[in-house]
Amino acid sequence: PDVDGQVLRPADALEGAVRDYRAALEVYTRAETPGEWSELQNNLATALVWLAQVHGGGSVTELEGAEAAFRNVLQVTTVDASPANAGVVLYNIGTVQERIGDRLTGHLQRAKYREASETYARALDTLRRGGSFEYATTVERRVSPFMNRVAAME
């Protein structure tokens, strides 16, 4: 992509998005605009996940930021009030935790994988409680092999 005669790398655009979302979160607060705040947190998390993918390597900084932002979404999109939506957010958290685990080794990796597996189990339960049976089945097909591998590590 070309902006004002400058070629942007994918990381440049994502880093700009992350900066913009963080700036917007200074304006849109959870107390005053919870819906907008939650949406910005979700968008920030997604941008950080993509940025981690573009950067590659072993750093978990962006992924840890994404996990924190997705957890913030759950402050507004609660399991009790909106289980189907909260289940999707929990699935996203589990996916980020799994990716963090992929970048770790030894006991730290096993601990993060265990955390991801527990989050996936909670996501599946929450999705089903929210009536999202079809999506829960799709998620279960995706995460079951991972969860079985984690259980075998014990």
Side-chain angles (χ1 to χ4, degrees):
D2 184 310
V3 177
D4 295 330
Q6 301 222 2
V7 176
L8 289 177
R9 302 174 302 123
D12 292 336
L14 289 166
E15 288 164 357
V18 167
R19 273 191 309 276
D20 291 346
Y21 290 133
R22 286 185 171 144
L25 285 164
E26 297 293 320
V27 176
Y28 295 93
T29 65
R30 178 177 161 225
E32 293 181 19
T33 53
E36 290 84 354
W37 180 84
S38 178
E39 188 175 332
L40 285 166
Q41 291 286 349
N42 191 73
N43 291 344
L44 172 62
T46 302
L48 286 166
V49 168
W50 281 103
L51 188 58
Q53 186 171 329
V54 168
H55 282 160
S59 174
V60 297
T61 304
E62 286 111 354
L63 292 172
E64 288 172 338
E67 182 179 357
F70 278 134
R71 286 189 185 284
N72 285 340
V73 172
L74 291 177
Q75 294 177 28
V76 174
T77 307
T78 65
V79 170
D80 291 333
S82 185
N85 291 331
V88 172
V89 176
L90 285 165
Y91 170 65
N92 290 339
I93 292 170
T95 301
V96 169
Q97 291 169 334
E98 182 180 350
R99 289 182 183 179
I100 292 171
D102 290 344
R103 294 178 181 205
L104 302 174
T105 59
H107 74 281
L108 293 175
Q109 182 181 62
R110 286 190 300 279
K112 200 62 176 181
Y113 281 168
R114 196 173 309 112
E115 186 179 6
S117 184
E118 291 166 2
T119 302
Y120 284 146
R122 187 166 173 226
L124 289 167
D125 178 61
T126 304
L127 286 166
R128 289 183 183 113
R129 205 160 7 113
S132 296
F133 300 109
E134 190 173 322
Y135 187 64
T137 300
T138 300
V139 168
E140 188 169 30
R141 274 195 297 269
R142 158 74 182 94
V143 302
S144 286
F146 171 80
M147 293 173 74
N148 292 334
R149 281 194 317 276
V150 170
M153 290 178 177
E154 302 299 327

